Amino acid sequence: MVVVIAGPSAGSLDVARGIADHLEAELVESYSKIFPDGETYVRVEAEPGDRAIVVQTMSRPQDTSFVQALLLADALLGLGFQEITLVAPYTAYARQDKRFLRGEPVSIAVVLRSLGLAGYKSFYTVEIHKEESLAAFPGKAASISPFLYMAREVGLDNSYIYLAPDVGALRRVESLARSLGARYDYLVKRRDRITGEITIETKHLDVKGEKVVIVDDIISTGGTVSRAAKLLLEQGASQVEVLVAHAVLAGNAVEKLRSAGVKRVYAGNTLPPVRDDLVSYIDLSPLIAEKLRSEIVGVQS
Ligand code: R5P
């Protein structure tokens, strides 16, 4: 028997409910508070079963969400669950995936190792920044790509050009565009050797008169996507939309995107929604549930 546990972090309950509905599993909510001294407390009351699937996205405050996930694992082990899976739709710290400067940690490796030590046997997330980071988790770990599902849900087809904001993000765009039979490209920064002037442009395709979709894993401050949108519109793109897994939208990111001319942002519901007409959220729980159904023993098909 499988029980879906909704973690206490903001944004987790909706996804947990969607997953439980799709798997026809029981949904149990958890409780959390912060003690007066700042420490985190969690409690979950569930009848012990074979497997618990904890849905706990690492939304703000990320450190608390992470600690809640650790504590929930021990709470469930204490209740007698044998196998515990963590579904973290958004995994915080994923971009600190190497030591950029001497003396820095590989934060994502610390996060994933700790979740394994806490008792999770398997780990699922959505579009982690670098797939290779998952190797740090001491069990089965998978990153679910949401882009094709999202594109189909909102009707993005092969009449659009799909663009990666840099060459590092090309694999995301390539796999989506190939599935849609669409054109794709990435943006490159060039420096004029004589004037030193920096220009950003598409590597191969001319975007003049074209509808463009920028595809990225995360919008945080909005700087990357705004810069890209602005220059694509300057180069004659007829409109720019954005397909993103995680809409962190820190600070004035939404305003930045709007003033750069972005027509719409389609985001996964991996984080709590920002109420603004510019951003449309797509429920990823059916996609996550299907992945769990196909890979986890005890989840009926
Ligand atoms: C970079 O490698 C990532 O894929 C995103 O493009 C970046 O982290 C987005 O951050 P921001 O919105 O702050 O530019």
Side-chain angles (χ1 to χ4, degrees):
M1 202 192 68
V2 178
V3 181
V4 175
I5 311 287
S9 64
S12 295
L13 180 57
D14 283 353
V15 181
R17 191 179 285 125
I19 291 175
D21 284 353
H22 277 83
L23 297 180
E24 295 178 11
E26 186 191 350
L27 174 69
V28 172
E29 292 186 37
S30 56
Y31 168 76
S32 178
K33 67 175 179 181
I34 303 290
F35 285 111
D37 63 359
E39 291 179 0
T40 298
Y41 170 92
V42 298
R43 181 156 187 236
V44 56
E45 276 194 90
E47 290 309 314
D50 304 331
R51 179 181 290 274
I53 298 173
V54 175
V55 180
Q56 167 78 349
T57 198
M58 292 189 215
S59 50
R60 273 174 278 188
Q62 294 91 330
D63 295 358
T64 305
S65 299
F66 170 56
V67 172
Q68 287 167 338
L70 297 173
L71 299 180
L72 275 174
D74 194 65
L76 292 164
L77 288 174
L79 286 173
F81 282 91
Q82 306 291 311
E83 289 274 326
I84 312 170
T85 294
L86 177 62
V87 174
Y90 173 66
T91 303
Y93 293 99
R95 286 176 295 169
Q96 182 72 27
D97 57 2
K98 62 178 182 191
R99 301 182 206 279
F100 297 94
L101 297 175
R102 190 167 168 268
E104 287 183 345
V106 183
S107 306
I108 186 61
V110 176
V111 166
L112 294 175
R113 273 202 306 270
S114 310
L115 291 167
L117 284 173
Y120 291 105
K121 288 280 187 339
S122 47
F123 173 81
Y124 290 82
T125 190
V126 174
E127 198 65 32
I128 197 159
H129 186 60
K130 289 256 171 60
E131 194 118 7
E132 297 76 10
S133 304
L134 294 174
F137 184 78
K140 180 174 174 39
S143 171
I144 302 166
S145 174
F147 297 120
L148 184 57
Y149 178 83
M150 292 170 73
R152 287 186 172 145
E153 284 290 298
V154 299
L156 294 173
D157 57 18
N158 64 4
S159 63
Y160 294 80
I161 290 183
Y162 293 83
L163 275 185
D166 54 51
V167 68
L170 185 59
R171 73 164 175 87
R172 287 191 182 101
V173 174
E174 189 171 16
S175 116
L176 169 66
R178 282 179 186 235
S179 305
L180 294 172
R183 292 164 295 162
Y184 64 94
D185 202 354
Y186 64 97
L187 293 170
V188 277
K189 231 187 237 179
R190 293 186 210 282
R191 185 186 294 272
D192 186 303
R193 281 172 193 274
I194 297 163
T195 63
E197 193 191 339
I198 293 177
T199 51
I200 306 175
E201 55 195 22
T202 44
K203 176 80 177 165
H204 304 290
L205 297 176
D206 183 357
V207 294
K208 199 156 193 291
E210 302 281 0
K211 296 182 293 179
V212 173
V213 178
I214 300 171
V215 182
D216 211 352
D217 57 333
I218 178 169
I219 297 180
S220 183
T221 63
T224 306
V225 165
S226 312
R227 269 192 303 277
K230 206 160 168 275
L231 86 94
L232 289 164
L233 290 166
E234 280 165 12
Q235 288 173 6
S238 64
Q239 62 175 60
V240 175
E241 293 175 275
V242 182
L243 196 56
V244 66
H246 312 293
V248 173
L249 299 172
N252 65 344
V254 174
E255 286 324 309
K256 258 192 224 165
L257 297 167
R258 182 174 278 117
S259 47
V262 169
K263 184 180 171 213
R264 183 160 297 276
V265 174
Y266 298 106
N269 64 338
T270 63
L271 288 165
V274 168
R275 307 272 171 218
D276 192 291
D277 288 352
L278 189 70
V279 191
S280 299
Y281 288 89
I282 296 146
D283 179 16
L284 300 180
S285 58
L287 178 73
I288 299 171
E290 281 316 308
K291 178 81 171 171
L292 294 170
R293 197 201 294 280
S294 66
E295 295 201 355
I296 288 189
V297 184
V299 176
Q300 305 301 315
S301 51

